[in-house]
Amino acid sequence: MSEDDNPPRRLTKLPTSLKTLVLLGIALLPLGVVAILASFDQASDARESRYAEVNLLAEVGSRHLSSAIADAEMGLRSAVVAMAAQEDLEANCQSAIDRAVALEPRKPPLAILDGDGRLICASEGFEPVSTIDLPAPGQATMAADIDREAIILAQASPDGRVIGLAELTRESLALLPQPTLLARNYQITLSRDDDLVVVRPWSDPVADDRVLNAAKPISDTGFILSASFEKRPLSTAELFAIALPVLMWAVAALLGWIAIAQLLIRPLTRLRHAVVRHANGDANFELPHFPISAIEIQQLAQAFEDAFDTLHSHEEQLAAGLEEQVRLTREVHHRVKNNLQIIASLLNLHARAAKSDDSAAAYASIQRRVDALAIVQRNLFAELDNDSGLPLRPVVAELASGLQQSAPPSVEIAITLDVDSVRVGQDIAAPTAFLITELVELAMLCGEWVEIAITVTALADRCARLAVRSAALAEASNRDEFPRYRRVLTGMARQLQASLDEEESGTLFTIAIPTL
């Protein structure tokens, strides 16, 4: 057997319910895969929407900060130009700063310096700055103050007499619009080169591997605004959307398996058990109850019930017929036995009334054969209820006793028996009895003292060896009656479908007979 034959054979050994579950799972798998892929696409869309939110935050923050810087530059430039036109800088400084702060919605702290960088005046909350390089006349600069987390703007008047400073602190920069979608943990920073200003810090600490980043430049300032968003895990609804197709696939396969098992497999199994119980001897075929099974199963069960009812009816009829047949057979055997007894009695009466020895001998010879047939018939009648055949030992023993009793008065006969326990059929028992009778009678004709040994030895292959040995049989071939006996013996051997062998100078005759 090749290995390719093993898998199909292993599959045939699987229970039908399991094979049904596998087939349903395979059939529904493409739908489940499509649904799962669609769920993952939805999750991917959700992730992309989060990236879009981060980009939106960076874009809005960049625009807002650009607007804040532009407004601060404009207010600072107007204040510087106004101060440059004044002769007395100290006298007009505070009023110019107050007007510039009033016009700016974010109210950033402002300061006015002279051309040498000395502070002339400043608005409330302004702290001295020492880290910024002063711009050239008519120029503006921007710098980040890392310690104070602020952006410093500097604007010089065209003549260089006045330098204005504006400080954009975290509080002023943090006034970014906050859409409701972004009302959660995020961070906004400004950076240029190695300088970094945190505009809006994290509400809660976030691990680096759970951060989404988006960066946008701030107009022409060289600053970059970075928006950092905390990655949000998949929501319960998203997880359910991903798991739902798998659950639906499993439930669909399971429901299909339950339906097949309840509608087909379980009813068929119970029906098979009922049939097996009936076949093992349960006389009453109890039809299982299938309340929810397929209508075809119910029809099949009803067909089985009708078939078994019909079969039971036929069995009863056959049993009655067999009983009648046995009775008739017994009657036939009984009548045959009685008829043989009547024939034997008539032959005995005629033998006694015979007027010559030859006639009496002829009647005795016929009576021996009738007796042989009667012996077989009696034993067959006794074994009529036994299907294992007719035991040969009692038949041969009764036959030998009858032959000794029917011997002529002038002949003394001694018969010894050695018969194994074998059984033969009726068609074998009668020819065997006739064969023994012919050989024994032939030996009686050959002497006044006759010793005969009859043996039946069981052999292999349902066969036995019948042997009749007598020294008197050595003279049998010289008798005038021998050709007649030879014809009878040959006919009996033909019925036994074997050859009668003559051995040891005619004193031993053997033949193989079939047994059961």
Side-chain angles (χ1 to χ4, degrees):
M1 181 186 298
S2 63
E3 294 183 357
D4 295 338
D5 297 336
N6 292 333
R9 184 164 296 183
R10 288 197 297 268
L11 290 177
T12 57
K13 295 181 180 179
L14 293 176
T16 304
S17 57
L18 180 58
K19 289 189 283 188
T20 302
L21 179 61
V22 173
L23 292 176
L24 288 174
I26 294 175
L28 296 174
L29 184 60
L31 296 178
V33 171
V34 171
I36 292 173
L37 293 178
S39 300
F40 277 110
D41 288 341
Q42 292 179 357
S44 178
D45 293 341
R47 288 194 298 269
E48 290 179 359
S49 67
R50 295 189 186 97
Y51 283 113
E53 291 174 0
V54 176
N55 289 325
L56 174 63
L57 180 63
E59 182 70 25
V60 172
S62 173
R63 293 179 181 179
H64 177 78
L65 192 56
S66 297
S67 175
I69 293 175
D71 292 343
E73 287 180 342
M74 183 178 297
L76 186 61
R77 187 179 300 111
S78 63
V80 168
V81 171
M83 285 296 297
Q86 300 296 327
E87 291 295 335
D88 189 356
L89 296 179
E90 293 182 0
N92 298 303
C93 179
Q94 193 63 43
S95 60
I97 288 180
D98 293 339
R99 288 194 300 270
V101 171
L103 295 175
E104 174 59 42
R106 296 171 182 79
K107 304 296 188 292
L110 299 180
I112 299 297
L113 307 179
D114 60 12
D116 296 329
R118 292 189 299 270
L119 178 63
I120 300 175
C121 65
S123 63
E124 183 179 358
F126 183 85
E127 297 182 7
V129 178
S130 59
T131 58
I132 187 172
D133 295 331
L134 297 179
Q139 300 295 320
T141 61
M142 183 182 299
D145 191 338
I146 305 301
D147 296 333
R148 297 166 60 188
E149 295 183 338
I151 296 177
I152 307 301
L153 300 178
Q155 176 69 48
S157 63
D159 56 4
R161 290 180 61 237
V162 179
I163 298 175
L165 298 180
E167 183 181 17
L168 297 178
T169 61
R170 174 191 293 181
E171 288 74 13
S172 61
L173 295 176
L175 293 177
L176 299 177
Q178 297 184 11
T180 56
L181 290 178
L182 303 180
R184 50 180 179 267
N185 194 19
Y186 65 92
Q187 174 183 264
I188 297 178
T189 61
L190 286 173
S191 62
R192 187 173 66 177
D193 298 333
D194 296 332
D195 299 334
L196 178 66
V197 176
V198 177
V199 177
R200 184 190 189 280
W202 293 107
S203 301
D204 298 308
V206 178
D208 294 338
D209 58 346
R210 295 186 53 80
V211 174
L212 295 177
N213 294 308
K216 296 292 182 180
I218 306 300
S219 53
D220 297 330
T221 62
F223 281 89
I224 296 177
L225 184 142
S226 297
S228 300
F229 216 150
E230 180 184 9
K231 290 182 181 178
R232 189 180 63 179
L234 293 176
S235 64
T236 303
E238 291 170 341
L239 292 175
F240 181 74
I242 295 175
L244 183 60
V246 179
L247 182 62
M248 292 178 61
W249 168 70
V251 170
L254 183 60
L255 290 178
W257 171 75
I258 292 175
I260 294 296
Q262 293 296 324
L263 296 179
L264 295 177
I265 306 303
R266 188 164 176 258
L268 283 175
T269 301
R270 294 176 60 188
L271 182 60
R272 179 178 64 84
H273 289 165
V275 173
V276 170
R277 286 195 304 270
H278 182 76
N280 290 336
D282 189 356
N284 297 323
F285 178 71
E286 183 180 355
L287 181 66
H289 182 57
F290 308 124
I292 62 172
S293 64
I295 186 64
E296 292 80 7
I297 300 297
Q298 299 180 16
Q299 293 173 351
L300 177 61
Q302 188 62 47
F304 269 113
E305 185 177 21
D306 296 341
F308 281 125
D309 289 342
T310 304
L311 181 61
H312 185 65
S313 176
H314 290 171
E315 287 178 349
E316 290 179 347
Q317 295 176 6
L318 288 175
L322 181 60
E323 184 178 353
E324 179 66 16
Q325 182 67 31
V326 171
R327 188 188 67 79
L328 293 175
T329 303
R330 286 183 177 276
E331 181 67 22
V332 170
H333 280 284
H334 183 68
R335 294 191 179 191
V336 170
K337 183 182 69 171
N338 292 341
N339 291 337
L340 289 174
Q341 288 177 352
I342 293 172
I343 293 173
S345 298
L346 291 174
L347 289 173
N348 188 24
L349 290 175
H350 284 286
R352 291 178 183 178
K355 297 179 180 181
S356 65
D357 294 338
D358 291 340
S359 297
Y363 280 118
S365 178
I366 296 174
Q367 188 174 2
R368 291 187 192 98
R369 288 154 181 80
V370 173
D371 288 342
L373 184 58
I375 290 171
V376 173
Q377 192 66 29
R378 281 197 302 272
N379 283 272
L380 183 63
F381 183 76
E383 298 289 334
L384 190 61
D385 295 332
N386 194 343
D387 295 334
S388 59
L390 190 66
L392 197 57
R393 180 183 293 172
V395 174
V396 175
E398 188 176 355
L399 181 61
S401 177
L403 289 173
Q404 282 183 313
Q405 294 176 4
S406 65
S410 60
V411 177
E412 294 184 8
I413 183 172
I415 300 177
T416 59
L417 302 177
D418 184 9
V419 181
D420 290 345
S421 180
V422 295
R423 287 180 174 269
V424 296
Q426 179 184 1
D427 55 342
I428 300 299
T432 302
F434 282 130
L435 187 65
I436 294 174
T437 302
E438 295 295 328
L439 289 173
V440 171
E441 186 175 283
L442 183 59
M444 292 179 184
L445 298 175
C446 298
E448 296 179 355
W449 171 250
V450 179
E451 293 181 354
I452 301 175
I454 301 175
T455 61
V456 178
T457 306
L459 304 176
D461 299 330
R462 295 185 179 182
C463 186
R465 178 176 177 270
L466 170 63
V468 179
R469 184 193 303 272
S470 177
L473 292 175
E475 302 296 331
S477 60
N478 298 325
R479 303 283 299 181
D480 295 337
E481 301 90 344
F482 183 74
R484 174 169 56 86
Y485 281 94
R486 169 63 72 179
R487 287 195 300 271
V488 175
L489 292 171
T490 303
M492 295 300 104
R494 190 178 296 114
Q495 290 189 26
L496 294 172
Q497 298 181 355
S499 61
L500 181 63
D501 299 327
E502 184 178 345
E503 303 174 9
E504 298 180 6
S505 300
T507 61
L508 176 63
F509 287 83
T510 61
I511 189 172
I513 59 175
T515 61
L516 298 178

